[in-house]
Amino acid sequence: MTAQLIDGKAFAATVREKVATHVARLKEEHGITPGLAVVLVGEDPASQVYVRSKGKLTVEVGMNSYEHKLDADTAEADLLALIDKLNNDPAVHGILVQLPLPGHLNEDLVINAIDPAKDVDGFHISNVGLLGTGQKSMVPCTPLGCLMMLREHHGSLSGLNAVVVGRSNIVGKPMANLLLRDSCTVTIAHSRTKDIEALCRQADILVAAVGRPQMVTGDWVKPGATVIDVGINRIEKPEGGTRLVGDVDFDSAAAVAGAITPVPGGVGPMTIACLLANTLTACSRANDLPEPEGLTA
Ligand code: GUN
């Protein structure tokens, strides 16, 4: 391997420390404790793990964590009533409804019922529009984490060629908007893109967010490029059991890239750290206090 490893786990710990310092100051100087409400509907095992981990880290940085666990067959009206209550609760500065929701619930309707100022996922249509037009918004956590790592590694991103593989609303599209805002030349590639390998080989920054295990191999990577792997896929090992891999074939890509994020330990830990950063930002804005530096887009 010749690439420098971008250690998302260590970087996320630094972000969480910064958040904790700001939270302590908010408490001491203003008597305010940021609060994050997480709503989980149903018993999806992966979602339960995420929610538990979010709750634990929220408390670790000194914030209040409010968990709301609802039955899988909860009526949409009851979920919307809970969101309305959280919207109007001054102790709650951030609201996250864990996705995916059970099939009978309309995800768009539910997400757009959250007060945009408390939408720490940045999924509300108002925040999507504000980000797309370069205005102050809440920014989705995963792309924000990727941006922080890229800025830390490169300093300025201005003029760099960036290719984002994947066009999801959660990662691909907001990632492209953030890179554009930092003056990259941005292309979004997807399943219908022609000669995707050649396109990716033009990229100084290559972000893989497609959900297909090890799709991006070393021959897609420009020598010296920075590769950010957003994928988390569980695959079977030849010798039995399973392991986590990204959307990038790490070994072949790391032999060509200048820098690369590992899976696990890259983008994943940064996502939760950015959720905490967004909750702090939402709390600061709600109280007309300065936003924490280096923790926003
Ligand atoms: N499920 C998987 N990732 C996420 C996320 O970032 N936010 C929410 N709300 N649900 C998710």
Side-chain angles (χ1 to χ4, degrees), residues 78-101:
D78 292 337
L79 177 56
L80 293 173
L82 172 61
I83 291 172
D84 187 53
K85 198 173 111 205
L86 298 172
N87 282 344
N88 290 296
D89 184 343
V92 172
H93 304 95
I95 302 170
L96 179 144
V97 177
Q98 186 67 29
L99 303 177
L101 288 170

Side-chain angles (χ1 to χ4, degrees), residues 38-97:
V38 175
V39 180
L40 174 63
V41 187
E43 268 135 41
D44 177 65
S47 293
Q48 284 179 326
V49 172
Y50 284 133
V51 166
R52 213 173 304 132
S53 169
K54 283 169 189 167
K56 182 172 157 273
L57 292 172
T58 304
V59 171
E60 242 175 64
V61 296
M63 296 182 181
N64 289 327
S65 168
Y66 308 101
E67 274 181 31
H68 295 268
K69 294 190 174 154
L70 307 183
D71 293 338
D73 62 356
T74 296
E76 197 164 79
D78 292 337
L79 177 56
L80 293 173
L82 172 61
I83 291 172
D84 187 53
K85 198 173 111 205
L86 298 172
N87 282 344
N88 290 296
D89 184 343
V92 172
H93 304 95
I95 302 170
L96 179 144
V97 177

Side-chain angles (χ1 to χ4, degrees), residues 28-187:
E28 210 175 285
E29 294 176 6
H30 303 279
I32 299 164
T33 304
L36 172 64
V38 175
V39 180
L40 174 63
V41 187
E43 268 135 41
D44 177 65
S47 293
Q48 284 179 326
V49 172
Y50 284 133
V51 166
R52 213 173 304 132
S53 169
K54 283 169 189 167
K56 182 172 157 273
L57 292 172
T58 304
V59 171
E60 242 175 64
V61 296
M63 296 182 181
N64 289 327
S65 168
Y66 308 101
E67 274 181 31
H68 295 268
K69 294 190 174 154
L70 307 183
D71 293 338
D73 62 356
T74 296
E76 197 164 79
D78 292 337
L79 177 56
L80 293 173
L82 172 61
I83 291 172
D84 187 53
K85 198 173 111 205
L86 298 172
N87 282 344
N88 290 296
D89 184 343
V92 172
H93 304 95
I95 302 170
L96 179 144
V97 177
Q98 186 67 29
L99 303 177
L101 288 170
H104 67 286
L105 299 169
N106 179 334
E107 249 169 45
D108 288 337
L109 187 77
V110 169
I111 295 303
N112 289 323
I114 297 171
D115 177 347
K118 296 189 179 188
D119 167 36
V120 281
D121 261 327
F123 295 164
H124 190 288
I125 195 70
S126 300
N127 283 316
V128 174
L130 289 167
L131 177 62
T133 49
Q135 300 178 70
K136 194 155 100 174
S137 68
M138 296 307 303
V139 174
C141 305
T142 299
L144 178 57
C146 296
L147 183 76
M148 283 186 188
M149 289 192 284
L150 285 167
R151 282 178 175 169
E152 168 83 5
H153 183 74
H154 285 271
S156 168
L157 305 182
S158 180
L160 296 178
N161 277 346
V163 173
V164 179
V165 187
R167 53 178 156 176
S168 71
N169 291 334
I170 293 181
V171 184
K173 287 180 202 163
M175 185 77 254
N177 269 323
L178 287 173
L179 291 166
L180 195 56
R181 231 168 63 168
D182 270 29
S183 301
C184 290
T185 303
V186 185
T187 310

